[in-house]
Amino acid sequence: MSNDVVVELEGVRKCFGPRVIFDDVSLSVHRSEVVAVIGPSGAGKSTLIRCINRLNTFERGVIRALGHEVYGTEEGKPALKRDELRELRTEIGMVFQTFNLFPHLTVMKNVMLAPQRVKGLSEAQATARALELLEMVGLSHRKDAHPRQLSGGEQQRVAICRALAMEPKVMLFDEPTSMLDPELVGDVLATIRRLALDGMTMILVTHEMMFAKEVANTVVVMADGRIAEMGPARQVLSAPKTERARSFLERVLPHTDGGGVTDVRTHPQDQGGPIAGPIDSIGGSALWSREADEEELL
Amino acid sequence: MTVVLASIWGVWAPYLPSFLRGLVITMEITGLGLAVAIVLGAILAGFKLSRFRTLRLIATVYVDIVRSIPVLVLLFLAYYGLGQLGFTLSGIASATTALGAYYAALLCEIFRGGVQGVEKGQKEAADALGLGRVSGFARVILPQAVLRVLPPSTNQLSNIIKDSSLVVTIGVADLMARSYQASASTFRPMDMFVLAGIIYMALYLVIARAIERWELNVQRRRG
Ligand SMILES: Nc1ncnc2c1ncn2[C@@H]1O[C@H](COP(=O)(O)OP(=O)(O)OP(=O)(O)O)[C@@H](O)[C@H]1O
Ligand SMILES: [Mg+2]
């Protein structure tokens, strides 16, 4: 493994009971690389990134994160010890679709908890770090609020701060904006964009195709229990090589040839559908996540 | 009306000091029983949530057995039964044992439900941050579980207070015993048991309202 590979998956198979969710997934993520994982609902995107910090186990293959094998699936290869796993997780930041902030703690305490309890930072050090991060996402004025008093977009930005406070070497995002109202998506994406510019290594499950195209270096399309296509973001999103990736993108994008990505209104589903009117006027990238979700349910 | 009240007061007044001393004993039994029930109940809940089958089994068997026995039987077992085996317990100690053992079984189920009811994502967020099992539980799960178990636990508190009156059968001079004595010596059971009832009710209401207010305060602070 070359030194600047941060996360590496080799032939990973994941099952839930007898059901194979995906198989033979291999992927290398290099330092400062942003990988967007896209694909239809149920393809196993969340499950995949949850395997990386071992919130899920898997049945076959190897995942190495920051040089550690996170889980031994082969005989004679023991999994990380509990403490080693805990140590590793401090270096892998995770942001959930549903934020999962700690409701009993203020915004500040949410961000300060792990640095104090795990890294042994003093109250003053943890406070300084938390304030700096909240400042960065424009939420220092909400530091004494409790999560329930915040909008979804604000909660998600706090959740990002909470993860960043541990100074992780890689960040995992599981559809960080898909629970948000359209007008709140932008602030969260701006925060992630800024992390990308700062050189943070990130794996991002998303339905925001425009954002993926803009920020990601690599796009991974998961479908039918495997990686259907993987490659440079612009190439995969504009001119997918495989039939499976193309058919997925055709359903979530207006048209995949060239810059069609930018024109929301030409999406065929927008015409005549019962919700076409009101949604039409909202526009913006959030629309993508809505469409993607709805279509995969059909 | 005033005449009636004055005459009832006339009956009650001489017995009030005695009743209040009885109330103190009732509170003692309730408090001690509750303390034992909370500690033992928390331990049993820990067993039920344990990874180890044996511990889960122990807790399940305990809860199933104890919950199905009347508190009075448990009280007699503690007072007379243990005495027969050479462990002589005082009346208050027997009551503490019986109430503690019985309500531990009920609280165990409440506590377990409270912990399991905390949203799954909370544990995952704690894990993902690298919080250990101890900090994760103490700082993330427990504070949320406590608030969830408060209302059903307060309910059980009212039952402990009421069940504490069973000690009248083993000669402890609690509120119940004293009202019984008073009614026997005055031949006015209606007046005396009404007074006892009022005092029991006041005790429960004061504590329950205090807990409720604390809970509301916390919830308001959390938004
Ligand atoms: N804990 C679990 N037990 C059993 N099956 C599960 C579990 N978690 C997920 N699955 C199943 O695994 C499959 C993949 O789920 P996953 O959440 O990874 O999909 P996804 O690609 O993230 O979808 P979405 O875009 O809707 O979030 C789904 O069919 C789901 O029902
Ligand atoms: Mg998902």
Side-chain angles (χ1 to χ4, degrees):
Chain A
M1 184 165 79
S2 98
N3 273 350
D4 87 332
V5 174
V6 178
V7 175
E8 188 173 34
L9 289 80
E10 272 176 31
V12 176
R13 169 194 291 181
K14 170 68 196 170
C15 309
F16 279 117
R19 239 182 95 209
V20 180
I21 305 300
F22 52 75
D23 197 0
D24 201 24
V25 168
S26 299
L27 170 69
S28 293
V29 182
H30 295 255
R31 185 171 304 139
S32 293
E33 186 178 356
V34 178
V35 175
V37 180
I38 64 174
S41 184
K45 308 179 295 295
S46 304
T47 308
L48 180 71
I49 65 166
R50 290 163 54 88
C51 286
I52 294 172
N53 66 354
R54 247 218 70 183
L55 285 180
N56 282 141
T57 56
F58 45 95
E59 275 54 47
R60 182 183 288 185
V62 177
I63 297 182
R64 274 182 288 270
L66 304 162
H68 297 275
E69 225 165 86
V70 301
Y71 186 61
T73 57
E74 275 155 54
E75 223 163 308
K77 281 192 184 170
L80 284 183
K81 295 208 178 65
R82 198 200 323 280
D83 239 34
E84 296 167 331
L85 174 64
R86 203 185 49 64
E87 194 76 33
L88 178 62
R89 279 170 167 167
T90 65
E91 307 202 87
I92 304 176
M94 178 131 192
V95 173
F96 300 87
Q97 188 172 12
T98 49
F99 330 134
N100 297 359
L101 289 178
F102 304 133
H104 57 297
L105 299 177
T106 63
V107 164
M108 273 299 267
K109 295 285 178 194
N110 263 277
V111 181
M112 290 164 64
L113 179 66
Q116 279 188 282
R117 294 292 139 203
V118 181
K119 293 221 158 161
L121 259 61
S122 72
E123 175 102 20
Q125 288 169 316
T127 305
R129 184 180 289 183
L131 272 179
E132 191 186 319
L133 287 165
L134 291 171
E135 193 84 49
M136 179 190 84
V137 302
L139 284 176
S140 48
H141 62 294
R142 301 295 272 142
K143 68 184 170 64
D144 296 318
H146 278 81
R148 270 196 276 276
Q149 296 157 342
L150 302 181
S151 75
E154 289 171 328
Q155 289 190 51
Q156 193 59 298
R157 281 180 283 156
V158 173
I160 294 173
C161 290
R162 178 176 69 177
L164 290 175
M166 294 300 281
E167 301 183 312
K169 300 207 170 72
V170 53
M171 287 281 285
L172 311 175
F173 290 88
D174 187 3
E175 291 189 39
T177 59
S178 62
M179 298 289 280
L180 302 179
D181 287 340
E183 71 270 24
L184 303 177
V185 168
D187 291 333
V188 172
L189 293 185
T191 301
I192 299 173
R193 183 182 293 118
R194 172 166 178 169
L195 289 178
L197 292 176
D198 288 347
M200 177 62 79
T201 311
M202 297 193 277
I203 304 174
L204 171 72
V205 176
T206 187
H207 285 303
E208 306 277 346
M209 299 301 156
M210 305 249 290
F211 185 69
K213 193 171 186 183
E214 176 204 337
V215 170
N217 309 105
T218 305
V219 165
V220 173
V221 184
M222 287 194 67
D224 306 331
R226 55 190 195 87
I227 293 184
E229 182 160 346
M230 168 164 63
R234 269 161 205 287
Q235 180 250 299
V236 173
L237 290 173
S238 315
K241 292 197 174 93
T242 62
E243 191 44 51
R244 187 62 186 94
R246 189 174 0 230
S247 75
F248 168 69
L249 287 166
E250 254 159 28
R251 275 186 297 151
V252 292
L253 296 178
H255 32 73
T256 51
D257 47 352
V261 169
T262 52
D263 191 356
V264 176
R265 312 273 155 101
T266 57
H267 193 293
Q269 293 296 314
D270 269 2
Q271 266 116 52
I275 49 173
I279 280 196
D280 218 23
S281 59
I282 295 169
S285 52
L287 193 49
W288 300 112
S289 60
R290 291 293 163 90
E291 283 180 350
D293 279 334
E294 272 157 20
E295 289 198 6
E296 293 311 325
L297 290 174
L298 294 178
Chain B
M1 187 63 189
T2 23
V3 179
V4 175
L5 277 181
S7 90
I8 290 182
W9 183 247
V11 177
W12 283 352
Y15 290 92
L16 211 52
S18 161
F19 275 41
L20 291 180
R21 277 199 299 282
L23 173 66
V24 171
I25 292 175
T26 291
M27 287 168 69
E28 229 174 275
I29 295 170
T30 303
L32 289 171
L34 181 66
V36 170
I38 288 175
V39 172
L40 185 58
I43 293 172
L44 287 168
F47 280 16
K48 279 228 159 173
L49 294 167
S50 161
R51 287 171 298 144
F52 302 110
R53 251 192 69 189
T54 325
L55 294 183
R56 291 201 304 268
L57 192 69
I58 290 172
T60 304
V61 169
Y62 178 91
V63 169
D64 282 352
I65 291 177
V66 170
R67 198 162 51 173
S68 55
I69 300 176
V71 183
L72 188 58
V73 173
L74 291 176
L75 182 64
F76 280 12
L77 277 173
Y79 190 69
Y80 301 111
L82 289 181
Q84 179 199 336
L85 300 181
F87 303 101
T88 310
L89 295 183
S90 72
I92 289 185
S94 308
T96 304
T97 307
L99 290 173
Y102 182 78
Y103 283 95
L106 301 195
L107 290 184
C108 161
E109 288 299 311
I110 293 175
F111 293 169
R112 184 184 57 86
V115 168
Q116 284 181 332
V118 175
E119 209 211 317
K120 203 167 107 270
Q122 294 291 310
K123 171 91 168 66
E124 290 181 351
D127 284 347
L129 285 166
L131 283 166
R133 288 202 300 172
V134 175
S135 322
F137 183 76
R139 305 269 162 186
V140 175
I141 305 300
L142 190 59
Q144 300 184 56
V146 165
L147 217 57
R148 302 175 58 93
V149 304
L150 225 43
S153 303
T154 310
N155 248 336
Q156 292 307 326
L157 170 68
S158 79
N159 290 331
I160 300 191
I161 293 175
K162 288 181 273 189
D163 279 352
S164 74
S165 65
L166 292 171
V167 296
V168 70
T169 58
I170 56 170
V172 176
D174 74 330
L175 178 55
M176 178 62 203
R178 284 167 197 262
S179 57
Y180 185 74
Q181 277 164 7
S183 73
S185 56
T186 56
F187 301 105
R188 304 191 70 136
M190 178 58 91
D191 301 325
M192 291 307 166
F193 290 132
V194 164
L195 178 58
I198 290 173
I199 297 176
Y200 274 117
M201 189 177 77
L203 174 63
Y204 172 66
L205 287 181
V206 167
I207 299 174
R209 288 294 164 277
I211 296 175
E212 236 166 65
R213 274 177 62 169
W214 180 76
E215 193 187 323
L216 272 177
N217 254 324
V218 173
Q219 252 153 16
R220 194 167 312 132
R221 232 178 315 126
R222 292 181 191 176

